[in-house]
Amino acid sequence: MMTSQRTLNVQTQKKAARRRPTRPALDNLRLLWSNRKSRVGLIILGAFLILAIFAPLIAPYSPTDNSFDRSADASGAHWLGTTAAGEDVLSQLIYGARISALVGFGAGGISTIIAMLIGLSWGYMRGFGAEVVGFFVNLFLVIPSLPLMIVIAAYLQNGGVSVIIAVIAITGWAWAARVLRAQTQSLRGRDFVQAARFAGERSPRIVFREILPNMTSIIIGGFFGAAVSAILAEAGLEFLGLGDSTAVTWGTMLYWSQNSNAMLTGQWALLFAPGLCIALLATSLMLINFGIDGISNPRLREGSTGR
């Protein structure tokens, strides 16, 4: 009788502990929109996503059509001029949003998943296994990411967008894993985790069903940070000629503008337009991160008078 009563008490404690106040997704979107910085970021990001999705309908020409005059100045037919190969710069700029968005969200998502799996497991486990995982994480933290990306991309040169995504994802997960590990360690001793452990739940279920929901805002914020790093890294690798030079991306536009001496020939749009788009897309994600911080920490919300 005492055993049954104790089991019932543990289950009741677990249910009470799991009744954590959650904010619906609609309320979170309203909080994002109420933040002025986040609102600006959402508008800019939405504009780039529209360009990426509807590029065939928005672009005036095909990005690979080289039947126009070479290195032509801006005109009514070509708002930003043409490249040294006779391609429309505006069309390439619009189509370039596709690859940059794909690489940013793809590599950012993969690196965030890797960081989440390793960080949560590393923070919950103890003993020799935690030391082994910590060694590999610290190894990736010590090795400079940019030289490592350059070496891997040079070895797998012209492998396409998938190679660029894989290279950025492999080299960009360690710091986020360390942050998630620290947060997991702080949650490991909470009452709802102890109740789940006493109820006999397995460690994977405790990690991904009890601890993970409490770290959603941190993971989302880490995803946006990883996406920004991926966009900048993709542009850097393409600019160095370590990607697929035949693909139409903002990075390859910078690469070909450098090879054709765009500044000397007066083709300023070929150089500054993709650079400005890269900066705006990265800035939009960073501005959205302000709203994510406001969701996770009420003291950071605009108009909040945190005590």
Side-chain angles (χ1 to χ4, degrees):
M1 184 68 180
M2 291 295 295
T3 304
S4 301
Q5 185 65 27
R6 185 178 304 173
T7 304
L8 181 61
N9 291 337
V10 170
Q11 293 177 350
T12 303
Q13 181 182 3
K14 175 188 171 184
K15 291 180 180 179
R18 291 180 63 180
R19 290 172 187 164
R20 296 180 293 277
T22 57
R23 187 175 296 275
L26 184 59
D27 291 344
N28 288 336
L29 291 177
R30 289 173 180 171
L31 283 175
L32 282 178
W33 188 255
S34 64
N35 187 292
R36 288 175 293 181
K37 297 177 181 178
S38 178
R39 188 187 310 139
V40 173
L42 288 172
I43 293 173
I44 297 175
L45 178 61
F48 279 117
L49 291 179
I50 291 174
L51 288 178
I53 295 173
F54 300 102
L57 301 177
I58 299 175
Y61 308 102
S62 171
T64 57
D65 186 0
N66 58 359
S67 61
F68 308 109
D69 296 335
R70 298 185 177 184
S71 300
D73 296 330
S75 62
H78 307 284
W79 290 4
L80 298 179
T82 60
T83 66
E87 299 158 336
D88 183 64
V89 176
L90 179 60
S91 300
Q92 288 196 339
L93 195 68
I94 294 173
Y95 272 89
R98 286 186 159 187
I99 302 298
S100 295
L102 176 62
V103 172
F105 289 107
I110 295 174
S111 63
T112 301
I113 292 174
I114 296 175
M116 181 182 65
L117 295 176
I118 295 178
L120 268 67
S121 303
W122 182 26
Y124 187 79
M125 70 175 59
R126 298 179 182 179
F128 180 73
E131 295 180 0
V132 173
V133 176
F135 171 78
F136 284 103
V137 174
N138 292 326
L139 181 64
F140 274 89
L141 286 173
V142 170
I143 299 176
S145 59
L146 181 58
L148 182 60
M149 280 192 295
I150 293 175
V151 170
I152 298 176
Y155 181 75
L156 301 174
Q157 193 171 4
N158 295 328
V161 178
S162 59
V163 172
I164 296 294
I165 293 176
V167 169
I168 297 174
I170 291 173
T171 58
W173 59 268
W175 180 256
R178 194 173 186 87
V179 173
L180 293 176
R181 179 239 186 179
Q183 186 67 15
T184 303
Q185 286 183 325
S186 67
L187 294 175
R188 187 172 56 187
R190 297 290 181 88
D191 292 340
F192 64 92
V193 176
Q194 297 295 334
R197 187 181 295 115
F198 291 151
E201 293 189 359
R202 298 178 178 272
S203 298
R205 180 180 176 85
I206 295 175
V207 171
F208 295 105
R209 292 293 299 273
E210 304 293 337
I211 297 178
L212 178 60
N214 293 272
M215 303 170 64
T216 304
S217 59
I218 297 177
I219 294 173
I220 295 176
F223 164 72
F224 281 111
V228 171
S229 300
I231 292 171
L232 298 178
E234 182 269 336
L237 293 176
E238 295 283 5
F239 177 72
L240 295 175
L242 299 177
D244 186 3
S245 58
T246 62
V248 179
T249 69
W250 293 336
T252 55
M253 291 180 67
L254 294 174
Y255 171 75
W256 289 115
S257 67
Q258 181 193 32
N259 287 351
S260 61
N261 296 321
M263 291 298 296
L264 297 179
T265 58
Q267 296 297 108
W268 59 269
L270 185 58
L271 180 64
F272 287 104
L276 179 61
C277 289
I278 293 171
L280 285 176
L281 182 56
T283 302
S284 69
L285 297 178
M286 295 304 296
L287 290 175
I288 295 174
N289 232 347
F290 284 103
I292 299 298
D293 292 338
I295 293 176
S296 60
N297 188 355
R299 293 177 180 271
L300 299 178
R301 297 174 190 169
E302 293 185 356
S304 176
T305 56
R307 298 179 181 177

